[in-house]
Amino acid sequence: MTESTRKPDPLHGVTLKAMVEHLVERYGWPGLGERITIRCFTHDPSVNSSLKFLRKTPWAREKVESLYLHSVAHPRKSKTSQEAAP
């Protein structure tokens, strides 16, 4: 593939820390632990402990990246936009 036909990487420039923080903000630790069942999200979770685990565990990082891409592609409607709708 040439550079002009290559699809841009949707994760380019997004740090793992930014992904985890976004997911925690959107789902909370309990919701994130339900969606991706790994101990760093279910037992005494923190961003730093999660980052340590995810950097060493490719399969878990792939799950986080996949959920992040899904959450960005399907943003939640804000309460103000729901109230404005008829």
Side-chain angles (χ1 to χ4, degrees), residues 14-51:
V14 181
T15 65
L16 184 57
K17 182 177 181 179
M19 285 185 239
V20 171
E21 289 173 343
H22 169 83
L23 293 172
V24 170
E25 183 178 317
R26 179 166 178 162
Y27 302 113
W29 287 112
L32 186 54
E34 288 174 10
R35 287 165 179 80
I36 305 174
T37 310
I38 51 179
R39 284 186 61 90
C40 67
F41 295 155
T42 61
H43 293 80
D44 194 27
S46 73
V47 173
N48 286 336
S49 67
S50 298
L51 292 174

Side-chain angles (χ1 to χ4, degrees), residues 9 13 16-17 22 32 34 36-37 40 43 51 54 56-57 65 67-68 70-72 77-78 80 82 84:
D9 181 6
L16 184 57
K17 182 177 181 179
H22 169 83
L32 186 54
E34 288 174 10
I36 305 174
T37 310
C40 67
H43 293 80
L51 292 174
L54 294 170
K56 295 182 204 174
T57 317
E65 290 172 349
L67 182 59
Y68 173 79
H70 176 78
S71 71
V72 170
K77 294 179 181 177
S78 67
T80 55
Q82 288 176 349

